[in-house]
Amino acid sequence: MLTIHPLVLAKLEVGQHLYWQLGGLKLHGQVFLTSWFVIGALLLVSFLATRNIQRIPSGLQNFMEYALEFIRDLAKNQIGEKEYRPWVPFVGTLFLFIFVSNWSGALIPWKLIHLPAGELAAPTNDINTTVALALLTSLAYFYAGFSHRGLGYFAKYIEPTPILLPINILEDFTKPLSLSFRLFGNILADELVVAVLVLLVPLFVPLPVMVLGLFTSAIQALIFATLAAAYIGEAIEGHGGEEHE
Amino acid sequence: MMNFVWLLAVEAAETVEEGGGLFDLDATLPLMAVQFVLLAVALNALFYKPLGKVLDERDGYISSNQVDAAERLAKAEQIANQYQQELAETRRQAQTVIAEAQEEAQKIASKTVAAAQQEAQAQREQVQRELDEQKSQAMATLEQQVDGLSRQILDKLLGSLAA
């Protein structure tokens, strides 16, 4: 049995939120604060990169072009050459938002800024954010399926055999569930591990875990975006489509 | 694992106390979704569209330049080929011109030689003829003189006899 003093846990402040009231609705203020920072950073970098567009790119434009090509490749690989273009903004924003959120949580010492309640951290370590993103992904692939195949989209539920109907329906629930919990769990666990290690040994020892955390954060962003694109591609192509190439 | 379970237990306790907790779903969710969609729209206008356009334009620029360059290369090769052909043609023509000139010169030379030979022949023949004529004239005069002389001799002889 692990014996950690309750005070130590209390200092971690897991599950405490800075509540904002908005007409009877409760909001998690710390999540919005950091997400606004992330959104602001993304918009600022995009603005700076596209302010003075050159045919021969350099500096920030070059970097953002690299990012865009990376996102395009990701979407192209999962959705296919023909249909990927309209989905680049969605998949790309998923990747960029999650990636910048995760890294901001890992790199920026948010905890130095004290809030009345809760503490600032990556927006992705709040279940609301990840569920929102996962539900948007579900909506996106439903929309993709219906817009491309109409009501024939329902045919995918009885493919390859009608026996799989329950499993196919279940899939629509497990997809957002697994998407949201994977991201949420990884980021929260990473921040908790780092926090616990910092509490136990404040110097040097947490560093490898922090580096590992950076790696996981990047991988999680990539996984989320790739899976979202794969679901969209699957909805467009139908079961057993091109994704198994 | 035990740790996590215990954390969850603490969470549950906290939830009861202050309404917080790890799995506290509230209005943050829809607002975050709206926020995310707005971010996607903004990034689409600010980032994906302009930079995507630049990427596509650059692709087009490069490929058109490549096609252009390939065309020019083909043209250059064609021109080089043409030049080679023309050069060969010109060489052949030069050869034939030289050969023709030599032939003509040969012809002219042989004609000239033949003409000169003919003239020489003609002159020789004429000289021969003149010579023959003079010879025959001389012979004729000589014969006349011989006739006259022989008659005089005869007359003298006959006269002396008659006398």
Tab-separated table of all heavy atoms in Angstrom, chain B residues 58-68:
chain	number	residue	atom	x	y	z
B	58	ARG	N	3.667	27.582	-55.961
B	58	ARG	CA	5.087	27.265	-56.156
B	58	ARG	C	5.228	25.942	-56.904
B	58	ARG	O	6.078	25.804	-57.788
B	58	ARG	CB	5.800	27.183	-54.809
B	58	ARG	CG	7.293	27.064	-54.961
B	58	ARG	CD	7.983	27.026	-53.624
B	58	ARG	NE	7.633	28.173	-52.822
B	58	ARG	CZ	7.349	28.080	-51.532
B	58	ARG	NH1	7.376	26.918	-50.941
B	58	ARG	NH2	7.036	29.157	-50.853
B	59	ASP	N	4.368	24.977	-56.530
B	59	ASP	CA	4.399	23.704	-57.259
B	59	ASP	C	4.169	23.945	-58.745
B	59	ASP	O	4.901	23.427	-59.603
B	59	ASP	CB	3.321	22.766	-56.719
B	59	ASP	CG	3.800	22.042	-55.477
B	59	ASP	OD1	4.986	22.225	-55.142
B	59	ASP	OD2	3.011	21.329	-54.861
B	60	GLY	N	3.118	24.749	-59.022
B	60	GLY	CA	2.813	25.041	-60.418
B	60	GLY	C	3.961	25.743	-61.108
B	60	GLY	O	4.347	25.391	-62.234
B	61	TYR	N	4.529	26.719	-60.379
B	61	TYR	CA	5.653	27.489	-60.935
B	61	TYR	C	6.803	26.566	-61.285
B	61	TYR	O	7.360	26.604	-62.385
B	61	TYR	CB	6.067	28.534	-59.908
B	61	TYR	CG	7.298	29.316	-60.242
B	61	TYR	CD1	7.268	30.307	-61.220
B	61	TYR	CD2	8.489	29.076	-59.563
B	61	TYR	CE1	8.393	31.029	-61.507
B	61	TYR	CE2	9.620	29.807	-59.848
B	61	TYR	CZ	9.575	30.779	-60.820
B	61	TYR	OH	10.695	31.482	-61.106
B	62	ILE	N	7.130	25.684	-60.320
B	62	ILE	CA	8.267	24.788	-60.537
B	62	ILE	C	7.987	23.850	-61.694
B	62	ILE	O	8.823	23.667	-62.596
B	62	ILE	CB	8.569	23.998	-59.249
B	62	ILE	CG1	9.206	24.924	-58.231
B	62	ILE	CG2	9.493	22.835	-59.537
B	62	ILE	CD1	9.373	24.324	-56.873
B	63	SER	N	6.778	23.272	-61.690
B	63	SER	CA	6.515	22.276	-62.748
B	63	SER	C	6.457	22.955	-64.111
B	63	SER	O	6.960	22.415	-65.095
B	63	SER	CB	5.230	21.514	-62.457
B	63	SER	OG	4.146	22.389	-62.414
B	64	SER	N	5.874	24.184	-64.156
B	64	SER	CA	5.812	24.859	-65.446
B	64	SER	C	7.219	25.238	-65.899
B	64	SER	O	7.563	25.124	-67.076
B	64	SER	CB	4.917	26.091	-65.363
B	64	SER	OG	5.587	27.152	-64.739
B	65	ASN	N	8.037	25.674	-64.934
B	65	ASN	CA	9.420	25.996	-65.279
B	65	ASN	C	10.148	24.766	-65.799
B	65	ASN	O	10.913	24.836	-66.766
B	65	ASN	CB	10.150	26.513	-64.042
B	65	ASN	CG	10.204	28.014	-64.032
B	65	ASN	OD1	9.500	28.661	-64.814
B	65	ASN	ND2	11.013	28.567	-63.169
B	66	GLN	N	9.847	23.647	-65.146
B	66	GLN	CA	10.507	22.409	-65.560
B	66	GLN	C	10.100	22.046	-66.983
B	66	GLN	O	10.942	21.707	-67.815
B	66	GLN	CB	10.088	21.301	-64.608
B	66	GLN	CG	11.170	20.307	-64.343
B	66	GLN	CD	10.808	19.419	-63.177
B	66	GLN	OE1	9.676	19.449	-62.699
B	66	GLN	NE2	11.720	18.617	-62.728
B	67	VAL	N	8.779	22.153	-67.231
B	67	VAL	CA	8.285	21.843	-68.571
B	67	VAL	C	8.928	22.780	-69.590
B	67	VAL	O	9.393	22.353	-70.661
B	67	VAL	CB	6.750	21.976	-68.601
B	67	VAL	CG1	6.253	21.937	-70.024
B	67	VAL	CG2	6.122	20.877	-67.787
B	68	ASP	N	8.967	24.060	-69.180
B	68	ASP	CA	9.558	25.061	-70.056
B	68	ASP	C	11.009	24.709	-70.377
B	68	ASP	O	11.439	24.717	-71.534
B	68	ASP	CB	9.493	26.409	-69.335
B	68	ASP	CG	9.475	27.561	-70.318
B	68	ASP	OD1	8.937	27.358	-71.424
B	68	ASP	OD2	10.000	28.627	-69.974
